[in-house]
Amino acid sequence: MTLLELQNLLKDKVRAAAIMHFQMAPDQIVSEIPPKTELGDLAFPAAFELAKVIKQQTGEKQNPRAIAETLKAELEKFDFVDHVEVAGPGYLNVFYNRGKFLRENAVRQFGSETTDGEKICVEHTSVNPNKAAHIGHVRNSVIGDTFQRILKATGKSVEVQNYIDNTGVQVADVVVGFIYLENRDLDSIKKLDAELAAKSETFDYYCWELYAKVGQRYQADEELKAKRAEVLHAIEEGGNDIALLADYVATRNVECILKTMERLSIRYDLLPRESEILHLHFWNRAFETMKERGVIHFENEGKNAGCWVMPFDSHEGTDEHETDKILVRSNGTVTYTGKDIAYQMWKLGLLGLDFYYKPFFKYADGKEVWITTAERSADTHVRAPSFGHGEAVYNVIDARQSYPQEVVKKGVAAIFPEKGEAASVHLSYEMVALSPAAAGELGFEISDEDRKKPFIEMSGRKGLGVKADDLIDRLEANALAEVESRHPNLAADVKPQVAHQLAVGALRFFLLKFTRNTIIVFDFGEALSTEGETGTFCQYSAVRANSIFRKAEEQGLSLLHFQEILEKTHEAATILNDGEAGNEIWSLAILSSRLDETVRQAASQNEPAILAKYTFALAKAFNLFYHHHKILAERDPVKQAVLAVTADMARRSLTSALDIMGIEVPEKM
RNA sequence: GCCGCCGUAGCUCAACGGGACCAGAGCGUCGGUCUUCUAAACCGAAGGUUCCGGGUUCGAAUCCCGGCGGCGGCACCA
């Protein structure tokens, strides 16, 4: 029986006991994890709830402790339960049968064996394809990627989309730079691209600088600014030289960004592009549906005269019409929100139109990323998977876009009340900002005004930010130096690989340990740290655990051997119940088996940080165990088996937890 | 002005739809641990009126009201 099954069973028993003795039960039986192992393995505050219910229904005041005492006897009849204590103001603390539990869980593998069929779409990354990704973008990608892994671990099938806004103003800005600041045409850009490659410089870094330059020039040059609108219009229109040039620039940036993300083990299934949403007239279809369903109307007068608007009553303004969201401007063009609603409809399979698809990129192991196209190609129907049609859609987008995201969610729900708001989830997170010190380290002039601020917002337009590849490079270099000094004899090709795994672990964990609504004020010292609450710490713990078993194998002691000993004896319980040492071993065993519920909790609360916190706690518990119990030196074979099996449970959970966070366990470190 | 998020130890953060002896971690500080499975580790100590004031509750960091302070969002931009 898994821990989760055991918990559910106990919940049912508590409910049954309540009904048997009091003829009533609280709506929900809540279970908690006691603050310390000595207080038990599972706690039910049910007596408090029950006291409340009894008082409501009968007016009778009952002491929670007395209620708990009554319920206690029922739970103790169960053989997985060693005993139950009533503690504090009326907690029902359940102590599991430690020996039985360890035997049952000694070989259990983590993970859901079945997929429940429902497909979930997760959109993340969605960096404007006009420059290199910075650390703020990486927070988005790491949260999104980890979240989709969490969903998969709970048995969902998931499709990962990375939206490409290839026809927006940001791309237009870089195109303006190429054409009007650098006098380049498409051929010249291709030549530049080749030159950069020869110098092992990257196209996205070049665009980063150019974009910043353009932003600066706009301030003084109105003429240039006027070019932006022209260029943007040409790009949206398509079928002209400027659009071709823009497509090249955007595509090259997408390639660079995909490469950056691949360094962090982040991959995608599909790249939906704005150009196709335009050219395949997604909006028109959405517009028709909205009109049919009567959720938008044409404004004849007032300040929105001539526009198509969708009313929203949830946000009240000073005058009632201020809350209306304009979807079609008076000049007939569609707003971004309008397009976004159409796109969201497609994701949910509600639009009634589809993209065409072609393969865009193949990862080293053969996995393909697809991209949308406007023309039917052979691949679309022959080889392309079925995209979209998500039962639910998660959009990983930063918190500053909460309002437009709410409009999209409410808008789609208004059009399709049968689908409802729950199908659209805005997985919001706060930005990564720079500490004034970090901005200084990057070589930026900081104004006196900025210096007083708690943090400085990164800005692609200003070229202010920590580029993802730069940070990964630094992490890898630091890790490599460390590996060189610790393991000089490690094979030459393994060292950089380990350094890479450590860099990824450090960065991903750093971005995951903060809850989503915490603004990360980026600090180099913290981000580069490999001590304390870090990915490196967690990896180290797993590596140590593995090395125990490697050494054991060398001595002819296999894991199977330990498991068999445990199978044949009932003395394990004696060891696990033996005072402080017993509690310590048991704590690690029980904590290791909480991965399942932790992942579920992270999924239901949309909070990857819960998993990161758990992983760190588990690594810490393992390190403590590691220092106090020398497995290979242990003389008592049963105790050795108990220790080994517990260590194995810990390393399996650690490895799985890290894997769900996209972090690998190195061979040595 | 309106809406939202936030305010917890010197610093950076946790605390699961209110609850269990000292509100927990990490960093930093001070002190201790390597002839024994890797010291990127472990142990111990110091450090908090959970921004302030009310209220609800047997019980509040958590819920409600009112302040103060910080940040973000409020376009016929994306």
Side-chain angles (χ1 to χ4, degrees), chain A residues 75-76 78-84 94-98 577:
Chain A
L75 292 179
E76 283 186 326
F78 189 40
D79 68 345
F80 270 92
V81 172
D82 187 77
H83 65 284
V84 179
V94 179
F95 292 75
Y96 295 148
N97 181 329
R98 295 178 174 186
N577 289 321

Side-chain angles (χ1 to χ4, degrees), chain A residues 15-47:
Chain A
R15 175 183 305 279
I19 289 169
M20 189 197 313
H21 291 281
F22 301 96
Q23 292 77 48
M24 58 186 86
D27 295 340
Q28 286 218 328
I29 304 292
V30 178
S31 68
E32 291 175 8
I33 295 165
K36 286 179 176 183
T37 328
E38 296 85 80
L39 290 171
D41 303 311
L42 193 67
F44 290 101

Side-chain angles (χ1 to χ4, degrees), chain A residues 438-558:
Chain A
E441 278 183 67
L442 287 167
F444 279 86
E445 293 289 326
I446 310 161
S447 65
D448 288 342
E449 196 189 337
D450 279 346
R451 209 182 298 277
K452 285 181 205 142
K453 289 184 180 174
F455 53 80
I456 303 167
E457 195 175 337
M458 287 193 271
S459 163
R461 182 144 296 164
K462 291 179 190 157
L464 176 57
V466 179
K467 292 196 272 304
D469 283 308
D470 286 347
L471 185 63
I472 301 169
D473 288 346
R474 274 181 76 172
L475 284 160
E476 284 183 349
N478 290 354
L480 187 61
E482 203 62 42
V483 171
E484 291 280 9
S485 78
R486 287 167 192 256
H487 303 284
N489 297 327
L490 209 58
D493 57 327
V494 178
K495 286 178 190 166
Q497 194 205 339
V498 171
H500 171 71
Q501 290 170 321
L502 292 173
V504 173
L507 181 52
R508 290 191 66 130
F509 192 91
F510 173 72
L511 293 169
L512 288 171
K513 72 175 179 180
F514 299 93
T515 51
R516 289 183 291 114
N517 62 1
T518 300
I519 295 172
I520 299 180
V521 181
F522 185 86
D523 175 87
F524 280 102
E526 267 180 72
L528 295 171
S529 166
T530 60
E531 287 167 15
E533 194 180 2
T534 64
T536 312
F537 178 98
C538 300
Q539 286 171 309
Y540 186 57
S541 206
V543 167
R544 281 173 138 184
N546 285 335
S547 87
I548 295 172
F549 290 94
R550 195 178 51 237
K551 284 265 161 70
E553 289 281 352
E554 285 168 17
Q555 297 177 19
L557 297 170
S558 69

